[in-house]
C-alpha cells in the first residue's frame, strides 16, 4: 500500500454468517455476569460489530499487518496508551528526510500503511501529543468498511447446565463436600448473520485498496477460526461468506443479510437445534434478488462450509449446490469460489 496504489474501484456488499455452539458469542458487561446479548423481544442472539471487528483486528495482527488499535503491554508491564500506539505507527518516518511540501502526505500515508485496521474501519485521532507528525493527521478517519450488528436467524436459549458450575471439594476434618459457583452463561446454538458494506468513495479517505478488500474474503473466515479460542468463545465456526462486488458506481441492493433464513421445514424445531447439522439455510430470496440485479453485478465472491445444508425454492443441497445456483442467477463468469487458505497467501504482507 502506498500513495501510488489506487483505492477501491467497486462497491461491495457482504453477508457473513457463523454459528456458535455452547458459547457466549458476545457477552454484555452491563447485564451482570457478562451474559450473552439477547434481544428481549425476539430472543435472538446479538453480536456487536465491535466484537466482529476485534476478531478481524486480531487476525490482521497475527498475519503481520500493522494494527493501530490493539492491546499492547510495555516493557514495564503497563498497558500502552493511545499516544504510545500512535507514536509507534509513525516511528518509521523522519521529517528531516521529507521535503516540507510533502510532509502532510508522507505522514498520512505512513500512518495508514502501518495501520491496516484504520484503512478498513477508521479511527478517532483526537490525541493531545507533543509531536509534530501528529499535527499532520486528521481528527478522525471514517472507515469505508462497516458491519451492522449481527443477529441470529432464530430465537436462542441459554444453556442452563452451564450457569452454575460447582467445584466440589473436600473441606475440613470431616471431609464434607463444599463448593463454589462460577457464573458461566452460554447459549445452546445460534446461527448469526452479519451485513457489511465496502464504500468505494469512503475508501479514498483511508487509502483502502482492492487488495485490502480481497483480503476480507479470507480474513473473516480465518478470524473466526483462529480468534475464538478463549473459554467462552470456543465453539464458533464460519459457515457462509458472500461478497457481492457491484459494477455500477454508488449502487448496492442493501440488506442482503435479511434474505437468508432458516428453512423451517428442513430444520429441526428451534428448541431442539444443537449444531449445524440440525439446520438448513434458505437462500431463495437472496438468489432471486441477485438474479434480478445481475446486470449490475461484477463478481460474487463466495465460500460456504462443507457441512452447511442450503435450500433454494424447496430443493436442498450442499455448498456445490449453492455455487451452481449462484452461477445460474448471475452467470458462471461472475462467480468466484474462494479458496480460503490458498487465497490468503496472496494478500499477506509483502516482504
Amino acid at each position: 500500500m502506498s500513495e501510488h496504489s489506487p483505492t477501491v474501484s467497486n462497491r461491495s456488499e457482504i453477508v457473513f454468517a457463523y454459528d456458535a455452539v455452547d458459547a457466549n458469542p458476545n457477552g454484555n458487561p452491563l447485564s451482570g455476569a457478562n451474559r450473552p446479548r439477547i434481544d428481549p423481544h425476539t430472543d435472538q442472539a446479538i453480536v456487536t460489530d465491535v466484537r466482529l471487528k476485534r476478531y478481524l483486528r486480531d487476525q490482521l495482527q497475527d498475519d503481520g499487518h500493522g494494527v493501530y488499535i490493539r492491546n499492547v503491554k510495555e516493557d514495564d508491564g503497563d498497558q500502552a496508551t493511545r499516544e504510545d500506539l500512535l507514536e509507534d505507527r509513525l516511528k518509521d518516518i523522519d521529517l528531516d528526510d521529507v521535503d516540507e511540501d510533502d510532509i502532510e502526505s508522507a505522514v498520512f500515508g505512513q500512518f495508514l500503511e502501518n495501520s491496516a485496521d484504520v484503512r478498513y474501519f477508521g479511527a478517532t485521532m483526537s490525541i493531545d501529543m507533543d509531536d509534530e507528525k501528529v499535527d499532520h493527521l486528521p481528527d478522525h478517519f471514517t472507515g469505508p468498511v462497516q458491519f451492522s450488528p449481527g443477529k441470529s436467524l432464530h430465537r436462542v436459549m441459554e444453556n442452563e447446565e452451564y450457569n452454575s458450575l460447582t467445584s466440589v471439594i473436600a473441606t475440613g476434618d470431616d471431609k464434607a463436600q463444599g463448593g463454589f459457583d462460577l457464573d458461566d452463561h452460554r447459549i445452546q446454538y445460534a446461527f448469526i448473520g452479519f451485513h457489511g458494506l465496502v464504500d468505494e468513495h469512503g475508501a479514498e479517505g483511508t487509502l483502502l485498496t482492492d487488495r485490502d478488500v480481497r483480503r476480507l474474503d479470507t480474513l473473516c473466515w480465518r478470524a473466526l477460526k483462529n480468534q475464538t479460542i478463549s473459554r467462552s468463545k470456543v465453539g464458533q465456526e464460519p459457515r457462509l461468506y458472500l461478497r457481492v462486488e457491484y459494477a455500477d458506481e454508488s449502487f448496492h441492493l442493501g440488506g442482503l443479510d435479511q434474505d437468508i433464513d432458516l428453512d423451517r421445514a428442513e430444520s429441526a424445531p428451534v428448541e431442539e437445534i444443537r449444531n449445524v447439522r440440525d439446520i438448513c439455510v434458505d437462500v431463495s430470496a437472496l438468489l432471486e434478488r441477485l438474479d434480478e440485479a445481475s446486470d449490475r453485478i461484477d463478481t460474487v465472491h463466495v465460500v460456504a462450509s462443507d457441512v452447511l445444508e442450503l435450500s433454494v425454492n424447496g430443493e436442498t443441497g450442499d455448498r456445490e449446490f449453492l455455487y451452481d445456483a449462484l452461477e445460474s442467477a448471475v452467470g458462471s463468469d461472475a462467480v468466484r469460489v474462494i479458496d480460503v487458505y490458498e487465497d490468503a497467501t496472496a494478500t499477506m504482507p509483502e516482504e
Side-chain angles (χ1 to χ4, degrees), residues 1-7 102 105-106 108-110 113 207:
M1 203 283 296
S2 73
E3 60 181 327
H4 303 295
S5 300
T7 57
D102 298 330
S105 63
F108 186 80
Q110 184 70 70
E113 185 168 354
L207 305 183

Side-chain angles (χ1 to χ4, degrees), residues 30-277:
L30 300 179
S31 68
N34 208 27
R35 301 176 73 99
R37 295 172 192 261
I38 297 177
D39 186 315
H41 300 292
T42 66
D43 290 335
Q44 293 170 281
I46 298 172
V47 179
T48 65
D49 58 309
V50 175
R51 176 66 270 180
L52 177 61
K53 289 175 182 175
R54 186 69 267 163
Y55 289 146
L56 300 180
R57 284 190 173 95
D58 289 346
Q59 188 60 48
L60 283 169
Q61 186 171 356
D62 283 0
D63 287 345
H65 299 282
V67 171
Y68 171 50
I69 300 176
R70 64 199 192 284
N71 293 320
V72 176
K73 292 284 189 181
E74 301 287 15
D75 293 339
D76 59 5
D78 292 338
Q79 192 74 28
T81 65
R82 293 179 63 190
E83 290 79 3
D84 296 330
L85 298 176
L86 179 54
E87 185 176 13
D88 179 69
R89 297 297 86 189
L90 297 171
K91 65 183 181 183
D92 294 336
I93 188 169
D94 186 344
L95 296 185
D96 292 336
D97 296 335
V98 181
D99 291 338
E100 186 172 347
D101 292 342
D102 298 330
I103 288 178
E104 184 167 347
S105 63
V107 172
F108 186 80
Q110 184 70 70
F111 174 72
L112 290 171
E113 185 168 354
N114 289 341
S115 309
D117 58 329
V118 180
R119 298 202 301 274
Y120 289 108
F121 311 127
T124 298
M125 308 302 302
S126 54
I127 298 174
D128 185 16
M129 288 180 64
D130 184 19
D131 189 319
E132 182 183 353
K133 288 179 264 188
V134 177
D135 294 336
H136 296 285
L137 292 175
D139 290 339
H140 71 278
F141 291 91
T142 300
V145 178
Q146 294 297 334
F147 287 93
S148 300
K151 273 193 172 185
S152 62
L153 304 189
H154 53 91
R155 62 188 173 89
V156 300
M157 281 74 72
E158 284 196 51
N159 195 334
E160 299 298 331
E161 296 300 318
Y162 287 97
N163 282 1
S164 179
L165 297 182
T166 301
S167 297
V168 179
I169 57 176
T171 59
D173 295 337
D174 60 358
K175 305 298 183 184
Q177 288 185 327
F180 55 89
D181 291 336
L182 301 173
D183 289 326
D184 189 13
H185 300 281
R186 309 185 189 201
I187 55 178
Q188 294 174 338
Y189 183 80
F191 189 92
I192 301 161
F194 278 91
H195 177 258
L197 191 68
V198 181
D199 177 25
E200 75 277 28
H201 301 301
E204 297 172 5
T206 66
L207 305 183
L208 187 80
T209 67
D210 286 322
R211 180 183 172 89
D212 289 326
V213 177
R214 186 71 172 258
R215 183 177 301 113
L216 279 176
D217 297 343
T218 68
L219 186 71
C220 291
W221 199 271
R222 291 183 301 111
L224 260 293
K225 286 283 190 183
N226 300 330
Q227 306 302 329
T228 58
I229 55 175
S230 65
R231 185 166 176 269
S232 65
K233 295 293 180 289
V234 71
Q236 300 183 81
E237 290 286 344
R239 297 303 182 190
L240 175 66
Y241 174 92
L242 185 141
R243 177 168 66 86
V244 181
E245 184 178 356
Y246 293 101
D248 289 358
E249 182 180 353
S250 302
F251 173 84
H252 69 280
L253 286 168
L256 291 181
D257 60 315
Q258 302 299 311
D259 296 320
I260 64 172
D261 199 0
L262 285 191
D263 187 326
R264 309 287 168 171
E266 298 293 335
S267 301
V270 168
E271 59 272 14
E272 296 179 13
I273 296 175
R274 294 295 182 273
N275 62 62
V276 69
R277 291 169 178 79

Side-chain angles (χ1 to χ4, degrees), residues 271-290:
E271 59 272 14
E272 296 179 13
I273 296 175
R274 294 295 182 273
N275 62 62
V276 69
R277 291 169 178 79
D278 294 331
I279 68 167
C280 178
V281 177
D282 187 349
V283 293
S284 304
L286 173 66
L287 290 177
E288 182 178 349
R289 291 187 73 195
L290 296 180

